[in-house]
Amino acid sequence: MYDLHTHTIFSDGELLPAELIRRAAVLGYQTIGITDHADRSNTTSLVRTLDPMRETASAYGIRLLVGVEITHVPPVEIPLLAREARDAGADIIIVHGETTTEPVAPGTNAAACACADVDVLAHPGLISIADARMAHDNQVTLEITSRGGHNRTNGHVVCVARAERCLLAVNSDTHAPSDLMEMTERMQVARGAGLTEEESTSILSGKNLPFL
């Protein structure tokens, strides 16, 4: 199992990185992305702070993807911060998409989908066909999320992703211990978003994701 989108006490999560990693290991995860919220004030420091946790994760049998979630920044800053994170050593770069539950700046989805340094567009809300087409062209993965509120538009994301042959990933956007899912719950999120059993199995395997 994988979960590419989790948070720790270094942004608005409840857990130390080590506890998050340990809990994921007990649930049977092989890969975890720690992607705390980032803007111009902390992008590089987040990546450097998490870098030593790779060894801790390895001791628990987990592959840690050190990353960031670029959050609520002006769209023009997204490629700059994505490059800054990559240069600092980030394995995965997520952008906080235009969820319908928060005042994300219009144009955020487009800026993320146009950026070759972005790996995942989280909870992209009512993403447009044009933005999804750019996501396909740049191999930006669209997120199906279990997080309350953000998950209202999962069905729309699946429909648009199918039409434009976009990569999809199922993530928890974990902030608290109870947010991490077992495999049965991950399958429920995928099927509930409108994916077939075959599609769900393929997406949950992560085999098609270039960064895995």
Side-chain angles (χ1 to χ4, degrees):
M1 291 196 293
Y2 67 85
D3 195 329
L4 308 174
H5 185 179
T6 71
H7 298 276
T8 72
I9 60 168
F10 291 111
S11 59
D12 57 349
E14 297 180 8
L15 301 175
L16 278 166
E19 184 176 356
L20 174 61
I21 291 164
R22 176 58 184 163
R23 288 177 177 272
V26 169
L27 288 173
Y29 283 83
Q30 287 80 44
T31 302
I32 286 289
I34 295 183
T35 51
D36 280 301
H37 295 291
D39 61 15
R40 279 192 159 182
S41 70
N42 68 341
T43 295
T44 297
S45 62
L46 277 175
V47 175
R48 291 177 177 170
T49 297
L50 283 172
D51 186 68
M53 297 307 300
R54 298 178 198 273
E55 291 186 21
T56 302
S58 179
Y60 283 134
I62 293 273
R63 177 191 177 197
L64 173 62
L65 299 179
V66 172
V68 294
E69 182 184 9
I70 299 169
T71 303
H72 281 291
V73 304
V76 69
E77 292 186 359
I78 287 172
L80 302 175
L81 289 172
R83 175 41 50 183
E84 180 181 333
R86 194 69 76 195
D87 288 345
D91 302 308
I92 186 167
I93 297 167
I94 293 179
V95 171
H96 186 291
E98 294 180 44
T99 172
T100 57
T101 62
E102 294 181 22
V104 180
T108 293
N109 283 357
C113 293
C115 182
D117 284 318
V118 171
D119 297 303
V120 179
L121 178 60
H123 40 69
L126 297 172
I127 185 171
S128 70
I129 287 286
D131 290 347
R133 188 169 298 134
M134 286 194 293
H136 170 268
D137 292 343
N138 291 302
Q139 288 195 299
V140 176
T141 299
L142 304 184
E143 179 183 81
I144 303 301
T145 180
S146 64
R147 189 153 183 83
H150 294 333
N151 60 7
R152 295 174 187 172
T153 54
N154 279 348
H156 171 80
V157 175
V158 166
C159 288
V160 172
R162 270 206 196 103
E164 296 303 319
R165 296 173 292 116
C166 296
L167 297 168
L168 287 170
V170 174
N171 295 321
S172 68
D173 195 356
T174 282
H175 287 69
S178 59
D179 294 337
L180 284 170
M181 296 181 286
E182 296 181 357
M183 180 55 86
T184 54
E185 296 171 297
R186 291 172 59 74
M187 179 62 78
Q188 289 166 0
V189 171
R191 295 300 306 278
L195 294 164
T196 66
E197 185 171 356
E198 182 178 1
E199 288 172 330
S200 299
T201 299
S202 175
I203 289 164
L204 291 171
S205 76
K207 290 178 181 177
N208 294 327
L209 300 180
F211 40 84
L212 289 180

